[in-house]
Amino acid sequence: MTTHVSRPRTSARRVGTLATVVALALTGAGAAAATPSGDHGGGHGSARPPAATTSAGTPVDLGALFIGAHPDDEAGSLSAFGEWGHENGLRTGVVTVTRGEGGGNAVGPEEGPALGLLREKEERAAVAKAGITEVFNLDEVDFYYTVSDALTQQVWDHDQVLGKVVRVIRETRPEVLFTMDPAPSPGNHGNHQDAARLATEAFEAAADPARFPEQIRREGLKPWAPAKLLNRGTATAPTGEQCMSQLAPKDPTQTVYGVWSGAKAPDGRSWAAVERDAQRQYASQGWAGFPDVPTDPAQLGCDVFRQIDSRVPFAEPGTDAAHRSSAALAGATVHQRGAVPLGTGLRVTTDRFEVLAGGAFTAKVSVTAPRRALPGTSVALDLPDGWSARGDGRIGTVRPGHTVTRSFRVTPAADASAGERQRIAARLSTRVGSGYSDRVVQVVPTVSARPQLLPQVTEFERWAPSVAHQPQLSGTVTPVLSLPSGGSREVRVDLRNNGSATDAGTVSLDLPAGLTATPASAPYGPLAAGATGSVTFTVTNTDTSLKTSNQGGTPGAAAGDYAYAIRTTTRAGTATTSAALELVPSTTIEQASTAPVVDGVESPGEYPGEALDLSRLWEGTACSSAADCSATGKVAWHDDTLNVLVHVTDDVLGTKLAAADCKRHWRTDSVEIAVDPRGDSENTSTTFKAAVLPVTAEGPACGLRDADNHQGPAAETAPGMKVASTVNAPYDGYTVEVSIPMSELPGAVDPEHLGLDVFVYDSDTQDKTGQTRIGWSTWGGVQGDPYRWGVATLPGYTPPADRPAEAPEPVIPLTALSSLDSPPSLAQAVRVDVPLAGDPASSPARAGWVERLTTSKDTAWVRLRANGPGTAHVYVVDGRGTIGSRTVTIGGAGHRSIAVDLDRRGGSNTRAYVGWLDSAGGTLASVARPR
């Protein structure tokens, strides 16, 4: 594969054969991708855009691609990417779905597209520290923090963005994809989840010519099958170089590789230090003050990567080969001694993920030869003790570019333990080297049982096996449900008969002390083979002294989880499934006899109910003392209004933001009140979240809404809401008081089950960064997780009969920076010949580009050549930044001279970039320098 962009020094080499073979196998033998027609319909121009000064050349050829949601998502892996680039010649690019416009800004007033441009520049500066020069922004909007993939998909249009990711992969042809965690793990950003799902789906879709076929038929791209897919993993390990050999993932069937961050970079420092320098580039996110990493390499740990899938042989877990810094790249871009040649394909598949003890299933091993033959080839399965296989693994010679598959009938041991995962390993032998691969299966009981899942977990469990074709990703999130302290809830247990005969039995819940289930045991069945059913229990918290939130839980479980077991009897015996309940605080909101006066002062009789403890830590640095940060709150209702009073003890007042900057409240001291009217929201788009800054630069408190059904200044988004505060002098804290008309909430309140939470954000700096987050119902990421908020009842309250229960459609900011308006993106597109934003390239017949630039003191003239109608986004820049810009609509083919007013005379390296958008949606970037 050729490219006009030279690659760095490398001990690896390009491997195109495997990807080509996979594509041919999917299309049929001998099938080939369409070649570009040169005209996608109706252009009138005849000249072709010059490759040297436009993005119309041969795209850059990458070895790896990281796919994330925001600038800085790659920041925790830059030490590994930097080391791989230097030691193994790996050229890595970064796909960033958004520019992070929804984040805060600790360095200036920019927001929206202006903040997006700032964060793009920060990202480019950061990744450059690790030798990365390609950042592909997809121009989706970063709307606000959410833990909902469903909401993210709704806002982004998941399928459309998937097409963009696939297009970038087919253009840049990386061997390895890296991404984030696709699971709805507690606190995992929904944008991160969806970026990872995009990468996981693209791993298959980019190789399949039936997916996004217009890219092949009309754009001339070819299917591309990346060799490996990995995400950032987790595992326990010591610090020091031994971390690579002593990684211990929670699930031992996970294939994880470590890259020690203490290795020396070219400047003599550790790669961890280089990564820290890179992270400090994200000044807008408050990262500029990150402390130095330890100078003692023995105190530095590993970057951990979990391998999700591989089409090539890989370093066998537990071997010396797996303990090298390049192990994650082995078989894809790095050849290890004794292994088959690069470009060799080896993949294990099974006809099912869930298998029964003693029940046979089929495993297939496929071997693909690279550009040279594989003589003397055979494959053999390596199985767990007691498992057996029937099948002939002898192959002989595999011809160049051809794939041979062998099938085996595998029978698990009759006493295989249900719930365990096991590797089905394949060992490849040839006269030119050997290889290893595996696939994980899970042993299931005759009748499986699991508790009802949260909506986001239900969707993930559907997605992993059926959409992503990665069933081993399922089951990675502990099934949890919340339970109010002192309250009850129904817990449904879903059953499925995995066996071949009708079954019946009982189900019971083995709960920790302080929790009881009614009934104690429930019968099920008869349940036919393959059928599903369910039983329901009522679980009650009988011991109200049990700790709630992340302070509670049972030993050995995740913080706040009260672990329990579901015991199911079957014909074959008893099976056990693990689950957990999370105890959230509860309260009764009493009716006030008169409406509290919103003045920031608690007057007698205004708040008759109990005080809420708001001092539990959920994120950030723990309070050093109650004087450092602590809080209590009170809530009352009167008529149709909620009233909230919060007393905060604090020793240092954070930045006084201007009233016009009353947003992104987590940057300084603030109070946030979260209300879920009916206590059943899947994400915060159907909730009300109000925040109050107790003091502004001008003096008075200000109120806003954030990350909810309608965000923005309170005067615009909740005009009936009132806020007030008193700030103690001498300063040792403040009091915030808020009244919220319930008519402002997104839907009528359920007085028996109102979702409620109160958070306090503590900042001890003047640099617009927060240090500590405390609150009432506290968990990591709880501000985006309504199911983990506390529960409140309002005795005596009845909402107006005409108030709708359903929330209105959320108002979500959808303005994002376009790459057409980003000079750094335009410059990159010209340099690496990859179209902007993952969109299609403008065909030659529709293209428009800059041919000439002339400048004077205050004006630049740009000569544009257009082969058809479109829009030209013109930017004149020099070494100090943008000095002039203009957007012009072009009606048809021909030449056009465009005058651009300049803010100042251009300095050295003045040039004009033009981002062209044709009438069919194709883009072209171009550059010209003064003549």
Side-chain angles (χ1 to χ4, degrees):
M1 220 164 261
T2 58
T3 174
H4 75 276
V5 179
S6 62
R7 304 189 70 200
R9 170 185 63 84
T10 176
S11 59
R13 60 186 179 86
R14 290 294 300 161
V15 187
T17 304
L18 177 62
T20 303
V21 169
V22 170
L24 293 178
L26 289 165
T27 54
T35 56
S37 65
D39 188 348
H40 296 175
H44 302 292
S46 58
R48 296 182 67 86
T53 57
T54 74
S55 56
T58 303
V60 66
D61 196 352
L62 296 177
L65 200 60
F66 174 87
I67 299 169
H70 315 104
D72 74 37
D73 284 347
E74 77 295 316
S77 301
L78 288 177
S79 62
F81 294 148
E83 181 175 348
W84 286 332
H86 182 259
E87 298 296 331
N88 305 108
L90 186 74
R91 184 167 185 172
T92 301
V94 174
V95 170
T96 306
V97 180
T98 81
R99 285 181 172 83
E101 298 93 340
N105 186 355
V107 297
E110 297 90 348
E111 60 180 335
L115 177 57
L117 183 59
L118 172 62
R119 294 197 65 182
E120 177 186 349
K121 291 177 178 178
E122 289 178 338
E123 182 175 31
R124 292 185 181 279
V127 301
K129 302 284 186 181
I132 296 173
T133 54
E134 283 76 50
V135 177
F136 305 99
N137 291 106
L138 300 188
D139 293 3
E140 297 304 310
V141 67
D142 176 33
F143 48 103
Y144 56 65
Y145 175 79
T146 178
V147 295
S148 172
D149 174 74
L151 182 62
T152 302
Q153 291 203 31
Q154 175 185 331
V155 174
W156 285 359
D157 189 343
H158 176 90
D159 290 348
Q160 178 183 354
V161 183
L162 176 60
K164 290 185 175 188
V165 176
V166 167
R167 183 179 283 111
V168 174
I169 291 172
R170 287 173 173 173
E171 286 164 338
T172 61
R173 303 171 302 282
E175 274 72 45
V176 188
L177 299 183
F178 294 94
T179 191
M180 310 183 79
D181 179 8
S185 306
N188 190 17
H189 200 311
N191 292 180
H192 296 171
Q193 295 175 45
D194 204 57
R197 296 190 195 191
L198 290 164
T200 306
E201 291 179 41
F203 181 75
E204 296 290 344
D208 186 353
R211 301 294 304 277
F212 306 101
E214 71 283 356
Q215 297 179 7
I216 297 168
R217 292 195 310 267
R218 298 187 57 179
E219 300 172 35
L221 300 178
K222 295 181 180 181
W224 180 259
K228 288 190 170 194
L229 172 66
L230 301 99
N231 69 357
R232 285 211 295 262
T234 57
T236 58
T239 58
E241 190 169 5
Q242 64 268 31
C243 66
M244 293 189 289
S245 62
Q246 296 182 31
L247 290 176
K250 183 177 179 180
D251 176 0
T253 65
Q254 290 184 0
T255 297
V256 294
Y257 300 112
V259 184
W260 182 43
S261 64
K264 279 191 177 181
D267 63 3
R269 298 180 301 157
S270 68
W271 279 108
V274 173
E275 178 179 276
R276 181 51 49 90
D277 274 358
Q279 292 169 341
R280 288 170 177 152
Q281 301 302 308
Y282 293 106
S284 70
Q285 303 310 294
W287 291 16
F290 276 11
D292 290 342
V293 300
T295 56
D296 180 2
Q299 297 180 40
L300 299 172
C302 273
D303 288 351
V304 179
F305 298 92
R306 175 191 177 186
Q307 183 172 283
I308 297 174
D309 203 350
S310 178
R311 293 184 168 101
V312 297
F314 52 87
E316 180 180 353
T319 64
D320 289 343
H323 302 155
R324 298 170 185 154
S325 61
S326 62
L329 311 178
T333 64
V334 170
H335 181 263
Q336 294 189 327
R337 180 177 298 179
V340 286
L342 286 178
T344 299
L346 179 64
R347 204 176 192 190
V348 182
T349 59
T350 58
D351 65 348
R352 69 197 69 178
F353 171 65
E354 296 180 334
V355 301
L356 285 167
F361 64 94
T362 299
K364 294 183 178 181
V365 182
S366 297
V367 181
T368 302
R371 292 172 179 167
R372 56 183 288 189
L374 294 178
T377 301
S378 64
V379 293
L381 294 188
D382 190 351
L383 302 172
D385 291 342
W387 294 42
S388 62
R390 290 187 293 108
D392 186 356
R394 293 172 294 181
I395 295 175
T397 296
V398 184
R399 291 182 294 163
H402 283 250
T403 299
V404 177
T405 300
R406 289 290 181 263
S407 295
F408 299 86
R409 196 65 175 162
V410 179
T411 302
D415 60 353
S417 298
E420 288 188 356
R421 296 191 174 192
Q422 299 286 357
R423 296 179 188 268
I424 307 302
R427 299 191 183 280
L428 169 67
S429 296
T430 76
R431 293 178 190 161
V432 293
S434 60
Y436 172 91
S437 184
D438 63 37
R439 180 69 59 173
V440 173
V441 296
Q442 179 164 314
V443 181
V444 295
T446 306
V447 175
S448 56
R450 72 178 182 187
Q452 69 189 80
L453 303 175
L454 295 167
Q456 58 266 41
V457 181
T458 298
E459 173 55 25
F460 178 74
E461 293 296 319
R462 182 200 66 83
W463 170 83
S466 62
V467 178
H469 308 295
Q470 303 292 345
Q472 78 282 0
L473 291 175
S474 64
T476 54
V477 179
T478 300
V480 299
L481 295 170
S482 60
L483 174 67
S485 177
S488 300
R489 70 159 299 147
E490 288 190 343
V491 174
R492 189 187 71 245
V493 176
D494 295 323
L495 305 164
R496 185 183 63 201
N497 187 346
N498 303 305
S500 57
T502 298
D503 214 326
T506 61
V507 180
S508 62
L509 306 185
D510 187 0
L511 296 164
L515 302 173
T516 61
T518 305
S521 177
Y524 74 87
L527 199 62
T532 59
S534 66
V535 296
T536 300
F537 299 87
T538 297
V539 177
T540 302
N541 170 217
T542 56
D543 180 0
T544 57
S545 69
L546 289 181
K547 291 183 178 180
T548 65
S549 304
N550 51 4
Q551 292 182 339
T554 51
D561 283 6
Y562 286 91
Y564 69 95
I566 303 172
R567 300 194 184 280
T568 308
T569 64
T570 68
R571 292 181 297 105
T574 300
T576 302
T577 304
S578 297
L581 289 163
E582 295 181 333
L583 206 57
V584 300
S586 61
T587 192
T588 299
I589 301 177
E590 301 288 354
Q591 182 178 11
S593 58
T594 58
V597 178
V598 183
D599 56 2
V601 176
E602 182 180 2
S603 298
E606 286 187 318
Y607 294 90
E610 65 174 343
L612 307 181
D613 177 7
L614 308 181
S615 299
R616 299 185 183 98
L617 177 73
W618 55 283
E619 282 181 359
T621 305
C623 304
S624 60
S625 66
D628 176 25
C629 52
S630 58
T632 59
K634 290 187 175 182
V635 187
W637 70 274
H638 179 79
D639 290 340
D640 196 33
T641 301
L642 274 177
N643 297 274
V644 183
L645 184 97
V646 178
H647 293 294
V648 177
T649 300
D650 181 33
D651 59 348
V652 178
L653 183 63
T655 308
K656 293 182 180 180
L657 300 175
D661 195 22
C662 188
K663 56 183 179 290
R664 313 293 197 262
H665 56 281
W666 57 85
R667 296 175 294 164
T668 189
D669 291 320
S670 62
V671 171
E672 182 177 22
I673 301 160
V675 181
D676 182 6
R678 308 194 68 78
D680 60 1
S681 292
E682 189 273 337
N683 61 73
T684 60
S685 70
T686 53
T687 71
F688 180 97
K689 295 178 67 187
V692 178
L693 306 184
V695 63
T696 58
E698 293 82 358
C702 69
L704 66 135
R705 291 177 64 181
D706 178 77
D708 68 350
N709 191 255
H710 189 186
Q711 314 86 52
E716 300 173 11
T717 60
M721 186 173 85
K722 298 177 182 178
V723 304
S725 70
T726 56
V727 178
N728 302 341
Y731 183 77
D732 61 1
Y734 58 89
T735 299
V736 160
E737 191 167 18
V738 184
S739 70
I740 305 169
M742 286 188 258
S743 59
E744 302 278 14
L745 303 178
V749 164
D750 177 356
E752 296 300 318
H753 202 272
L754 175 75
L756 176 70
D757 220 333
V758 182
F759 310 119
V760 176
Y761 296 78
D762 180 55
S763 172
D764 289 341
T765 74
Q766 300 302 307
D767 61 5
K768 300 181 185 178
T769 60
Q771 284 71 54
T772 303
R773 298 177 179 184
I774 57 178
W776 186 42
S777 185
T778 52
W779 319 82
V782 69
Q783 76 272 42
D785 244 346
Y787 89 92
R788 294 181 173 205
W789 296 351
V791 176
T793 58
L794 288 76
Y797 173 76
T798 301
D802 60 349
R803 184 167 296 163
E806 296 298 320
E809 284 296 312
V811 177
I812 294 177
L814 297 176
T815 304
L817 180 70
S818 167
S819 290
L820 290 160
D821 294 316
S822 166
S825 289
L826 296 174
Q828 175 182 289
V830 172
R831 178 172 54 82
V832 303
D833 296 308
V834 176
L836 298 166
D839 288 326
S842 184
S843 70
R846 296 184 184 275
W849 63 95
V850 59
E851 290 187 324
R852 183 180 304 164
L853 169 65
T854 57
T855 63
S856 68
K857 177 181 179 181
D858 54 12
T859 307
W861 290 271
V862 173
R863 178 180 171 87
L864 186 77
R865 170 69 182 260
N867 286 343
T871 304
H873 297 246
V874 182
Y875 285 84
V876 181
V877 305
D878 65 6
R880 294 164 54 195
T882 299
I883 57 177
S885 64
R886 187 177 175 188
T887 300
V888 180
T889 299
I890 307 298
H895 290 86
R896 174 81 177 267
S897 182
I898 301 171
V900 181
D901 293 336
L902 302 181
D903 298 331
R904 54 179 171 81
R905 180 186 292 275
S908 61
N909 200 25
T910 297
R911 55 214 182 275
Y913 286 108
V914 172
W916 175 259
L917 178 66
D918 68 32
S919 58
T923 68
L924 186 75
S926 58
V927 66
R929 290 174 169 78
R931 291 187 176 181

mmCIF file of all heavy atoms in Angstrom, residues 109-126:
data_model
loop_
_atom_site.group_PDB
_atom_site.id
_atom_site.type_symbol
_atom_site.label_atom_id
_atom_site.label_comp_id
_atom_site.label_asym_id
_atom_site.label_seq_id
_atom_site.Cartn_x
_atom_site.Cartn_y
_atom_site.Cartn_z
ATOM 1 N N PRO A 109 -13.516 33.146 28.640
ATOM 2 C CA PRO A 109 -14.976 33.194 28.521
ATOM 3 C C PRO A 109 -15.527 32.350 27.381
ATOM 4 O O PRO A 109 -16.748 32.283 27.217
ATOM 5 C CB PRO A 109 -15.231 34.680 28.265
ATOM 6 C CG PRO A 109 -14.023 35.124 27.482
ATOM 7 C CD PRO A 109 -12.869 34.349 28.057
ATOM 8 N N GLU A 110 -14.663 31.738 26.586
ATOM 9 C CA GLU A 110 -15.144 31.031 25.406
ATOM 10 C C GLU A 110 -16.104 29.912 25.775
ATOM 11 O O GLU A 110 -15.909 29.196 26.751
ATOM 12 C CB GLU A 110 -13.973 30.427 24.609
ATOM 13 C CG GLU A 110 -12.999 31.436 24.048
ATOM 14 C CD GLU A 110 -11.864 31.746 25.009
ATOM 15 O OE1 GLU A 110 -11.957 31.344 26.191
ATOM 16 O OE2 GLU A 110 -10.892 32.382 24.591
ATOM 17 N N GLU A 111 -17.148 29.752 24.974
ATOM 18 C CA GLU A 111 -18.048 28.618 25.094
ATOM 19 C C GLU A 111 -18.561 28.279 23.702
ATOM 20 O O GLU A 111 -18.298 28.996 22.733
ATOM 21 C CB GLU A 111 -19.202 28.921 26.054
ATOM 22 C CG GLU A 111 -20.073 30.080 25.648
ATOM 23 C CD GLU A 111 -21.195 30.314 26.647
ATOM 24 O OE1 GLU A 111 -21.593 29.366 27.355
ATOM 25 O OE2 GLU A 111 -21.689 31.451 26.705
ATOM 26 N N GLY A 112 -19.287 27.182 23.595
ATOM 27 C CA GLY A 112 -19.810 26.785 22.291
ATOM 28 C C GLY A 112 -18.689 26.537 21.297
ATOM 29 O O GLY A 112 -17.612 26.038 21.654
ATOM 30 N N PRO A 113 -18.894 26.902 20.007
ATOM 31 C CA PRO A 113 -17.863 26.657 18.992
ATOM 32 C C PRO A 113 -16.515 27.267 19.317
ATOM 33 O O PRO A 113 -15.475 26.676 19.003
ATOM 34 C CB PRO A 113 -18.485 27.282 17.731
ATOM 35 C CG PRO A 113 -19.960 27.153 17.943
ATOM 36 C CD PRO A 113 -20.155 27.392 19.415
ATOM 37 N N ALA A 114 -16.510 28.445 19.960
ATOM 38 C CA ALA A 114 -15.219 29.061 20.311
ATOM 39 C C ALA A 114 -14.459 28.204 21.308
ATOM 40 O O ALA A 114 -13.229 28.044 21.211
ATOM 41 C CB ALA A 114 -15.443 30.466 20.882
ATOM 42 N N LEU A 115 -15.175 27.626 22.264
ATOM 43 C CA LEU A 115 -14.527 26.712 23.206
ATOM 44 C C LEU A 115 -14.088 25.444 22.483
ATOM 45 O O LEU A 115 -13.019 24.886 22.778
ATOM 46 C CB LEU A 115 -15.482 26.366 24.352
ATOM 47 C CG LEU A 115 -14.977 25.352 25.386
ATOM 48 C CD1 LEU A 115 -13.671 25.814 26.026
ATOM 49 C CD2 LEU A 115 -16.038 25.097 26.454
ATOM 50 N N GLY A 116 -14.892 24.995 21.521
ATOM 51 C CA GLY A 116 -14.506 23.815 20.740
ATOM 52 C C GLY A 116 -13.196 24.017 20.014
ATOM 53 O O GLY A 116 -12.346 23.115 19.973
ATOM 54 N N LEU A 117 -13.003 25.212 19.426
ATOM 55 C CA LEU A 117 -11.744 25.486 18.737
ATOM 56 C C LEU A 117 -10.587 25.528 19.721
ATOM 57 O O LEU A 117 -9.499 25.015 19.446
ATOM 58 C CB LEU A 117 -11.849 26.813 17.981
ATOM 59 C CG LEU A 117 -10.631 27.207 17.147
ATOM 60 C CD1 LEU A 117 -10.310 26.145 16.099
ATOM 61 C CD2 LEU A 117 -10.857 28.568 16.483
ATOM 62 N N LEU A 118 -10.826 26.134 20.899
ATOM 63 C CA LEU A 118 -9.781 26.172 21.927
ATOM 64 C C LEU A 118 -9.400 24.763 22.354
ATOM 65 O O LEU A 118 -8.206 24.432 22.461
ATOM 66 C CB LEU A 118 -10.280 26.977 23.123
ATOM 67 C CG LEU A 118 -9.396 26.966 24.380
ATOM 68 C CD1 LEU A 118 -8.044 27.578 24.086
ATOM 69 C CD2 LEU A 118 -10.084 27.711 25.519
ATOM 70 N N ARG A 119 -10.389 23.914 22.585
ATOM 71 C CA ARG A 119 -10.086 22.561 23.042
ATOM 72 C C ARG A 119 -9.437 21.723 21.943
ATOM 73 O O ARG A 119 -8.613 20.842 22.225
ATOM 74 C CB ARG A 119 -11.348 21.891 23.577
ATOM 75 C CG ARG A 119 -11.885 22.545 24.842
ATOM 76 C CD ARG A 119 -12.857 21.670 25.587
ATOM 77 N NE ARG A 119 -12.218 20.468 26.104
ATOM 78 C CZ ARG A 119 -12.862 19.504 26.762
ATOM 79 N NH1 ARG A 119 -14.175 19.614 26.971
ATOM 80 N NH2 ARG A 119 -12.215 18.443 27.203
ATOM 81 N N GLU A 120 -9.785 21.982 20.701
ATOM 82 C CA GLU A 120 -9.087 21.278 19.615
ATOM 83 C C GLU A 120 -7.614 21.637 19.603
ATOM 84 O O GLU A 120 -6.742 20.768 19.449
ATOM 85 C CB GLU A 120 -9.711 21.615 18.268
ATOM 86 C CG GLU A 120 -8.971 20.958 17.104
ATOM 87 C CD GLU A 120 -9.448 21.376 15.727
ATOM 88 O OE1 GLU A 120 -10.514 22.029 15.631
ATOM 89 O OE2 GLU A 120 -8.755 21.053 14.739
ATOM 90 N N LYS A 121 -7.314 22.915 19.774
ATOM 91 C CA LYS A 121 -5.912 23.338 19.786
ATOM 92 C C LYS A 121 -5.166 22.716 20.969
ATOM 93 O O LYS A 121 -4.002 22.313 20.841
ATOM 94 C CB LYS A 121 -5.830 24.866 19.815
ATOM 95 C CG LYS A 121 -6.299 25.522 18.523
ATOM 96 C CD LYS A 121 -6.265 27.043 18.612
ATOM 97 C CE LYS A 121 -6.690 27.680 17.304
ATOM 98 N NZ LYS A 121 -6.720 29.171 17.380
ATOM 99 N N GLU A 122 -5.849 22.642 22.128
ATOM 100 C CA GLU A 122 -5.237 21.991 23.280
ATOM 101 C C GLU A 122 -4.953 20.524 22.982
ATOM 102 O O GLU A 122 -3.880 20.008 23.329
ATOM 103 C CB GLU A 122 -6.161 22.103 24.494
ATOM 104 C CG GLU A 122 -6.270 23.485 25.092
ATOM 105 C CD GLU A 122 -7.239 23.551 26.259
ATOM 106 O OE1 GLU A 122 -8.127 22.663 26.350
ATOM 107 O OE2 GLU A 122 -7.124 24.469 27.085
ATOM 108 N N GLU A 123 -5.900 19.860 22.347
ATOM 109 C CA GLU A 123 -5.701 18.443 22.051
ATOM 110 C C GLU A 123 -4.548 18.230 21.094
ATOM 111 O O GLU A 123 -3.724 17.327 21.280
ATOM 112 C CB GLU A 123 -6.983 17.835 21.475
ATOM 113 C CG GLU A 123 -6.843 16.340 21.186
ATOM 114 C CD GLU A 123 -8.143 15.701 20.736
ATOM 115 O OE1 GLU A 123 -8.961 16.394 20.094
ATOM 116 O OE2 GLU A 123 -8.342 14.512 21.018
ATOM 117 N N ARG A 124 -4.462 19.057 20.080
ATOM 118 C CA ARG A 124 -3.363 18.895 19.118
ATOM 119 C C ARG A 124 -2.009 19.119 19.793
ATOM 120 O O ARG A 124 -1.040 18.405 19.514
ATOM 121 C CB ARG A 124 -3.559 19.844 17.937
ATOM 122 C CG ARG A 124 -4.755 19.472 17.068
ATOM 123 C CD ARG A 124 -4.880 20.354 15.826
ATOM 124 N NE ARG A 124 -6.043 19.988 15.046
ATOM 125 C CZ ARG A 124 -6.110 18.971 14.194
ATOM 126 N NH1 ARG A 124 -5.014 18.225 13.989
ATOM 127 N NH2 ARG A 124 -7.205 18.686 13.534
ATOM 128 N N ALA A 125 -1.961 20.102 20.689
ATOM 129 C CA ALA A 125 -0.708 20.345 21.418
ATOM 130 C C ALA A 125 -0.389 19.194 22.354
ATOM 131 O O ALA A 125 0.779 18.804 22.520
ATOM 132 C CB ALA A 125 -0.810 21.654 22.197
ATOM 133 N N ALA A 126 -1.442 18.607 22.962
ATOM 134 C CA ALA A 126 -1.223 17.517 23.916
ATOM 135 C C ALA A 126 -0.714 16.261 23.222
ATOM 136 O O ALA A 126 0.306 15.690 23.612
ATOM 137 C CB ALA A 126 -2.522 17.215 24.668
#
